[in-house]
Amino acid sequence: MHPTAPRATRTPWRAAAATALGVALLLTGLPGSQATAAATLTNAGFESGTSGWSTYSAAGQDAASFAEAGGRSGSSRLTHWSPSAYKVETYQYLSGLTNGSYTLSAWVRSSGGQNAAYLALRNCGSAEQRTDLPPTPNGKWIRLVTSVKVTGGQCTLSVNSDAKAGNWLNVDDVTFTPGSTGLAVRGVDVSMLKKSEDHGGTYRTSTGAAGDALTILRSAGADCGRLKVWVNPADGYNTKARVLGMAQRIKARGMKLLVDFHYSDTWADPGAQTKPAAWAAHPYSRLTTDVYDHTYDVLNALKAQGTPADMVQIGNEINGGLLWPEGSTDDWQRTAGLLKSGISAAKAVSPSTKIALHLAHGGDNGRYRWWFDNATAQGVPFDVIALSFYGYWHGPLSDLQANLDDISARYGKPVLVAETAYPFRLDGEDAHENIIDLPGELVPGYPATPAGQAAWLRDVMNVVEAVPNGRGLGVVYWDPTWTAVQGNGWDPADPASGNAWENQALFDYDDRLLPAAAWLKHR
């Protein structure tokens, strides 16, 4: 996975020239030499060693950057590695560019553990853009992108390491092409917020100033609020009336609204799709009407109060269908009938509302192909494929990327990670055992710290941004405001139930906003 010893790929005079060039860069702010720059990328796969690329290290550590065997597609790759701590930059300067937006794409691997490891586009006439490398302990390649606006006809592409002894990264198959990337959805699920507030929950900025949680998250960069809808829950929250109230708050802050229908009185997920009590005795034909009427009622009320839904999930994590047993995927025709009923209701209220179909296990490509092949064969119309992806349950980021790339192309639809989260600590703030509370449950390379949580959200967003053809729609962080407030536990039927999630919120045990929230300002 990583080299056993560095191997120089430049002659001594060329290494010295690169070092001198790097010093000039620090003094002038201009990367590279005008005499050798070109308008197109040279040796993008490192098949000619590091020819066309320059190296800079202020401490004379050029040998930490080299090409070696083991490329992703060809025979070679770029590697950064040293047996001692090092800082090194491998870069290529382009000039004569037509002004406009450009995207750097590269396939990467990394040990993790560096102080910093990232791709960058700098000296392009606009703000420098970076994308950090995720740890890839499984050795699988991940594609990353970074976009920038070129205004002065030039730009520097660079690979950067500020690393500890033995840390390594690999880069291969670099491209630099016209176009831009970004995420249209940087969302937060705030379904538990109102109940928290009603039971005394408070929220603070990172500096400790008390404030409204939605306002704090919006200021951090959140541009979409997700709300679940239950039919008749025991605690009276996540109902139509509650959703209407929260929708007003979301829209008042200029955020988009994603409505998540569970078609249940309680949690719906891959292991439970329990019918609402009021529908329990209804035959299948009546259930299709129930779904239509409930969906229409909620969405039409939202529209009537001036807060229409921008996107609607017809079901939550419906891997095995919905409204069991009648809507189980054991009978795809019936599953499709219920989905079509809900979709028809949503489109009757607003044809422009986007329809999302949402599954869990976001790294399981076989599952997604099976499910959506059946849905499309049954003629179920949809606009967005929504996924839950929790790395401690659903696998490495490379699996998420492979699935997103495949299904977005296979079905021609944008993809949305509608749920993700990560712990910032393992201990709990209340007596209820947390869902993730043991070191062995963590994703390798991501500690249960504020920095580890931030890195997880950052890297999931980077993977979604890299989906080809702009089909990576965005990411929603699940229940960032569900802190440990007595009375706001997991069971709507039990006021004494505790919270298993407070160590994955975006507010710490002093109610302060955590660093991960800053990534909601992602491109």
Side-chain angles (χ1 to χ4, degrees), residues 56 146 455 512:
Y56 172 67
T146 303
R512 293 190 180 208

Side-chain angles (χ1 to χ4, degrees), residues 423-448:
F424 62 91
R425 59 194 294 170
L426 290 176
D427 61 317
E429 193 177 12
D430 64 9
H432 192 79
E433 182 181 10
N434 286 333
I435 290 175
I436 301 299
D437 63 351
L438 298 174
E441 295 172 320
L442 298 174
V443 179
Y446 297 91

Side-chain angles (χ1 to χ4, degrees), residues 34-368:
Q34 292 279 358
T36 59
T40 57
L41 193 61
T42 300
N43 190 26
F46 302 96
E47 297 305 299
S48 301
T50 55
S51 174
W53 295 85
S54 300
T55 302
Y56 172 67
S57 173
Q61 298 169 310
D62 283 18
S65 172
F66 52 93
E68 64 172 354
R72 174 189 161 267
S73 61
S75 61
S76 299
R77 69 195 183 202
L78 173 71
T79 293
H80 284 182
W81 179 83
S82 175
S84 58
Y86 63 96
K87 293 182 181 180
V88 70
E89 174 186 4
T90 306
Y91 65 94
Q92 191 166 152
Y93 169 59
L94 301 180
S95 68
L97 298 171
T98 301
N99 288 340
S101 295
Y102 288 83
T103 295
L104 167 67
S105 174
W107 288 86
V108 305
R109 302 190 301 190
S110 169
S111 64
Q114 296 97 333
N115 300 316
Y118 59 92
L119 307 176
L121 293 172
R122 55 170 61 108
N123 301 307
C124 307
S126 58
E128 178 179 328
Q129 297 296 316
R130 296 183 178 183
T131 297
D132 297 271
L133 272 64
T136 56
N138 63 358
K140 293 186 178 180
W141 294 88
I142 287 179
R143 186 184 60 258
L144 296 180
V145 296
T146 303
S147 294
V148 75
K149 187 173 183 180
V150 173
T151 62
Q154 62 184 19
C155 195
T156 298
L157 294 62
S158 67
V159 181
N160 304 264
S161 292
D162 178 356
K164 304 177 181 69
N167 292 160
W168 58 270
L169 64 76
N170 300 145
V171 175
D172 201 5
D173 298 334
V174 183
T175 66
F176 186 67
T177 56
S180 62
T181 63
L183 297 179
V185 176
R186 285 110 11 117
V188 286
D189 188 312
V190 288
S191 298
M192 304 298 283
L193 175 58
K194 178 59 176 168
K195 188 174 181 180
S196 175
E197 293 170 335
D198 288 350
H199 284 81
T202 58
Y203 300 89
R204 301 179 182 277
T205 65
S206 59
T207 58
D212 172 77
L214 262 178
T215 300
I216 293 170
L217 290 167
R218 176 59 172 155
S219 296
D223 65 359
C224 178
R226 182 178 185 247
L227 298 173
K228 65 172 170 280
V229 188
W230 288 339
V231 177
N232 188 26
D235 62 1
Y237 286 87
N238 299 297
T239 60
K240 169 188 168 183
R242 297 289 188 180
V243 167
L244 287 170
M246 284 299 298
Q248 288 180 320
R249 294 174 60 182
I250 288 169
K251 290 284 190 170
R253 287 157 180 78
M255 301 168 71
K256 296 181 283 290
L257 174 62
L258 168 55
V259 177
D260 173 18
F261 285 96
H262 282 226
Y263 300 113
S264 181
D265 292 335
T266 188
W267 304 98
D269 56 45
Q273 297 285 334
T274 306
K275 288 178 288 188
W279 306 357
H282 294 176
Y284 175 79
S285 59
R286 177 66 185 277
L287 288 174
T288 61
T289 301
D290 292 332
V291 168
Y292 186 98
D293 291 347
H294 172 61
T295 306
Y296 187 94
D297 182 44
V298 173
L299 296 180
N300 194 51
L302 284 167
K303 179 181 177 182
Q305 75 169 10
T307 60
D310 299 284
M311 187 183 300
V312 174
Q313 283 181 222
I314 305 299
N316 186 76
E317 296 187 332
I318 52 176
N319 298 40
L322 65 167
L323 294 166
W324 290 345
E326 288 83 357
S328 166
T329 51
D330 289 341
D331 186 335
W332 257 103
Q333 187 173 1
R334 286 193 163 200
T335 303
L338 292 171
L339 293 173
K340 290 177 184 178
S341 186
I343 293 165
S344 295
K347 291 295 188 180
V349 172
S350 173
S352 64
T353 296
K354 300 298 183 185
I355 302 299
L357 299 179
H358 173 217
L359 308 185
H361 302 94
D364 188 344
N365 182 241
R367 183 190 304 267
Y368 276 72

